[in-house]
Amino acid sequence: DIGIAFDGDGDRAVMVDHLGNIVDGDEILYVIARDRRRQNIDFGGVVGTSMSNLGLELALDALDVPFVRTAVGDRYVMQGMLERGWDLGGESSGHIICLDITTTGDGIVSALQALAAIANCEQPLADLRSKMRKLPQSMVNVRLDNNFDLVANKAVQSAVSDVESKLGKNGRVLLRPSGTEPLVRVMVEGEDMDIVSKLAQE
C-alpha cells in the first residue's frame, strides 16, 4: 500500500509508505537516484538546496553519487542541473526535476519515477526509504534589526564555527535571512535531536 499527494498546481509530490511514514522530496529523490545507479543509468549527479537534509547528501555519497547544493528555489536547482549537465534535482518540499523526462518539476513524473523504482527493486517504499537516514533538524526564528549584517558580525560567525566544530562532519548550521520579515532562520542539523535543539538555541 502506498499514498501519493500532490500540491495544488501538481509540481510537488510527497508519498506515504504502508507504515504511515511521510516520504518527503529528499527521500523520493534518493529512491529515484538509487534505482538509476543500480541500473547503471548515467544521470551525472543530484542537485539539492541549502535546505536538503544532510542525510540525503550522506546517502548519495555512499552510492558514489555527486551532490551539490544551491539556494532554495526550483529555478536555482534547474540552473545547477543545466550548468553540470545532470538529470536529477529537487527540494525537500517534493519539487523534483527529472530533466531526461521533462523540462520542469512535475509531481506525476516524480511519483511515477518513484513507483518505477519500487517495481524495479521489488521492495516496498518503507524499505527503500530506510536506506537513507534523515538527520534531525531544528529551526529557530530570531528577530533582527533590518540593518544587522550577519556576514560581518564576528560574534555570530564565531558562534556558527563553534557549533559546527561540535557537530563534526555529520552536522551543519544554516543561517537564512527571511525575504519577507525582519528575522533570520537558524537551522541546525545533526545526529541527535536533543543536541541539535540545544545548539540551535545557543
Side-chain angles (χ1 to χ4, degrees):
D1 294 329
I2 196 167
I4 303 167
F6 303 103
D7 70 338
D9 61 356
D11 63 354
R12 289 174 171 79
V14 294
M15 303 177 88
V16 180
D17 67 21
H18 74 285
L19 301 173
N21 298 306
I22 294 173
V23 181
D24 70 8
D26 288 342
E27 293 166 301
I28 294 171
L29 200 48
Y30 171 74
V31 167
I32 296 169
R34 180 178 177 272
D35 183 55
R36 290 185 178 201
R37 170 62 88 214
R38 198 180 60 81
Q39 295 185 71
N40 292 317
I41 296 171
D42 182 15
F43 56 93
V46 174
V47 176
T49 74
S50 58
M51 294 302 291
S52 298
N53 193 281
L54 184 58
L56 172 63
E57 184 174 347
L58 296 173
L60 290 173
D61 185 58
L63 295 175
D64 205 24
V65 172
F67 177 78
V68 297
R69 294 177 185 273
T70 67
V72 173
D74 57 295
R75 66 179 174 164
Y76 298 113
V77 172
M78 178 71 85
Q79 183 182 337
M81 293 167 69
L82 292 172
E83 284 172 0
R84 293 166 179 81
W86 292 358
D87 290 335
L88 278 182
E91 302 184 85
S92 312
S93 64
H95 192 283
I96 294 169
I97 304 168
C98 302
L99 261 188
D100 56 331
I101 297 171
T102 185
T103 57
T104 186
D106 187 309
I108 293 174
V109 169
S110 305
L112 287 171
Q113 288 295 291
L115 290 172
I118 292 165
N120 291 338
C121 296
E122 298 183 340
Q123 289 180 282
L125 180 59
D127 289 0
L128 295 180
R129 74 181 283 274
S130 72
K131 293 172 175 39
M132 172 193 145
R133 185 172 72 91
K134 281 177 69 178
L135 296 183
Q137 293 180 334
S138 179
M139 183 99 69
V140 180
N141 290 333
V142 181
R143 293 216 157 264
L144 284 181
D145 185 311
N146 279 330
N147 299 321
F148 190 86
D149 189 344
L150 269 178
V151 178
N153 190 285
K154 290 186 173 144
V156 171
Q157 296 310 316
S158 173
V160 169
S161 297
D162 185 46
V163 168
E164 285 182 333
S165 68
K166 289 175 184 173
L167 290 167
K169 65 182 178 65
N170 286 348
R172 64 191 182 107
V173 176
L174 178 68
L175 304 181
R176 280 185 65 221
S178 168
T180 56
E181 300 175 84
L183 54 82
V184 63
R185 305 188 199 287
V186 179
M187 194 274 285
V188 177
E189 190 172 40
E191 295 187 296
D192 182 287
M193 188 63 204
D194 290 340
I195 293 172
V196 162
S197 297
K198 177 177 172 291
L199 291 175
Q201 291 296 333
E202 190 178 303

